[in-house]
Amino acid sequence: MTELRRVVVDTDTGIDDAHTLLYLAGRPDAEIVAVTSVYGNCVEDDAVRNIGYVNALLGLDVPVARGAAAPLAGPPRIASAVHGKDGLGDVGYHRPLPAVTEESAAELLVRLGREQPGRLDLLALGPLTNLAEALRLDPGLFTRYRSVVLMGGSGPYAPPGTLLMVDANINNDPAAAAAVFAAPRNEVVMVGVNVTASTILDERAIGALRAAGTPVSTFATEILEAYLDFYQNEWGRRIIPLHDPLAAGVLLDPSFATAWVDGPVNVLSDGFMSRARLMRTHDGLPPAFRYASAPPTRVVTAVDAPRFVADFVEVLSR
């Protein structure tokens, strides 16, 4: 029997974040324990409203805590061009503020970790500001969670001449990300754009979701249009990568990851943007410069994309 994973989700609730909540709720081996909001795909106020909307759709009654509206330093970058102004593709849903805890997101993360040590997994889908603020309250936070799985990072250095998607969650708060990768932990797993870009929800899969006709699958396809409008500029087709859902998939079923490397991750800027990278070249060598030591992070380097996409579609079509 598959072991139940009890998951705390930290999310900047955009389109693929909403898909991730739907996926987790549909998997029999997952239980969503709490959800915390953060800016990123949309402003934090929309992120928490979107959590409320998705939870209501799912009939999910769990604690919701409000988190950071901006990075540790500087103004927030909001991905309205990708997810729509409201984060859910501007379809026009009525999204009242849900009931929220008196605790901040950081305080809730700390309390849950202390109350249930070793029993919870933390899934981070947005900028890592809430996690960094929680680490300020409890530097041993990650030792209290069974694992911390995050969607973000760029894997090891890519082969020369290879381009990667923007590492938005890291770039939105590089200082927070640096604190996360330096923190002591049981296990931190990085599911980065180096692998999420390969998990494509193509025209046939989108058609299958639409044809299922359930409230969940209908919502999942309704919110896709803004996302498809953005990604058609990348590939010339109306298809999308399943960035955040893949991180949830790897958390629940590590066999979706077919290769990984354990090693130090640093957050570095090239003057234009910041990325979190495993301090290894594509062929496994150290980089040609000094880098900061850090506890080992499990960095996913390859995934079974067809099997994950098929599972995602099947779960959301039930």
Side-chain angles (χ1 to χ4, degrees), residues 176-224:
V180 165
F181 288 112
R185 75 281 304 271
N186 287 330
E187 180 178 69
V188 171
V189 180
M190 185 171 91
V191 183
V193 295
N194 56 305
V195 289
T196 61
S198 69
T199 52
I200 298 297
L201 195 70
D202 64 14
E203 297 90 347
R204 177 178 292 186
I206 294 169
L209 271 179
R210 187 173 286 115
T214 68
V216 163
S217 68
T218 298
F219 169 71
T221 53
E222 281 178 351
I223 63 178
L224 273 182

Side-chain angles (χ1 to χ4, degrees), residues 150-171:
L150 59 95
M151 191 278 119
S154 298
Y157 282 89
T162 301
L163 298 177
L164 291 171
M165 284 187 174
V166 171
D167 189 357
N169 288 341
I170 304 303
N171 192 52

Side-chain angles (χ1 to χ4, degrees), residues 41-294:
N41 291 328
C42 51
V43 299
E44 186 278 331
D45 188 71
D46 281 317
V48 75
R49 289 175 186 273
N50 294 344
I51 291 168
Y53 187 88
V54 175
N55 284 357
L57 176 68
L58 294 168
L60 187 64
D61 183 15
V62 299
V64 175
R66 300 192 69 160
L72 298 179
R77 300 180 181 91
I78 305 300
S80 302
V82 183
H83 296 265
K85 186 176 184 299
D86 70 0
L88 292 182
D90 296 328
V91 176
Y93 300 117
H94 178 58
R95 302 169 301 121
L97 278 172
V100 296
T101 66
E102 293 183 1
E103 298 170 293
S104 69
E107 290 167 340
L108 180 65
L109 296 179
V110 168
R111 179 174 63 79
L112 290 175
R114 287 175 173 170
E115 289 179 352
Q116 304 181 60
R119 296 177 56 200
L120 303 176
D121 296 281
L122 176 55
L123 177 63
L125 303 177
L128 298 175
T129 314
N130 288 339
L131 276 64
E133 291 183 343
L135 284 167
R136 288 176 172 177
L137 298 176
D138 180 3
L141 177 73
F142 293 170
T143 68
R144 310 187 201 288
Y145 281 84
R146 176 174 170 171
S147 72
V148 179
V149 179
L150 59 95
M151 191 278 119
S154 298
Y157 282 89
T162 301
L163 298 177
L164 291 171
M165 284 187 174
V166 171
D167 189 357
N169 288 341
I170 304 303
N171 192 52
N172 278 350
D173 196 342
V180 165
F181 288 112
R185 75 281 304 271
N186 287 330
E187 180 178 69
V188 171
V189 180
M190 185 171 91
V191 183
V193 295
N194 56 305
V195 289
T196 61
S198 69
T199 52
I200 298 297
L201 195 70
D202 64 14
E203 297 90 347
R204 177 178 292 186
I206 294 169
L209 271 179
R210 187 173 286 115
T214 68
V216 163
S217 68
T218 298
F219 169 71
T221 53
E222 281 178 351
I223 63 178
L224 273 182
E225 292 307 309
Y227 218 31
L228 294 167
D229 288 346
F230 177 81
Y231 276 107
Q232 69 185 8
N233 297 314
E234 190 76 25
W235 295 300
R237 293 169 58 186
R238 292 183 67 76
I239 59 180
I240 62 162
L242 295 171
H243 292 300
D244 290 343
L246 179 63
V250 169
L251 189 161
L252 299 177
D253 182 355
S255 71
F256 282 132
T258 57
W260 58 85
V261 178
D262 294 331
V265 168
N266 280 192
V267 178
L268 301 171
S269 173
D270 60 8
F272 297 97
M273 68 170 297
S274 296
R275 290 186 183 272
R277 292 189 187 269
L278 174 70
M279 292 292 97
R280 296 292 182 270
T281 62
H282 75 284
D283 48 3
L285 298 175
F289 52 82
R290 290 185 178 181
Y291 57 88
S293 61

Side-chain angles (χ1 to χ4, degrees), residues 1-7 19-32 58 60 123 216 245-256 304 307-318:
M1 181 177 178
T2 305
E3 186 176 4
L4 179 71
R5 292 280 189 152
R6 304 180 67 242
V7 186
H19 285 166
T20 305
L21 293 172
L22 302 179
Y23 178 71
L24 287 169
R27 286 275 304 228
D29 52 353
E31 176 190 349
I32 299 173
L58 294 168
L60 187 64
L123 177 63
V216 163
L246 179 63
V250 169
L251 189 161
L252 299 177
D253 182 355
S255 71
F256 282 132
D304 188 342
R307 186 167 73 88
F308 170 70
V309 173
D311 184 64
F312 175 84
V313 172
E314 193 274 328
V315 169
L316 267 65
S317 296
R318 288 177 192 156

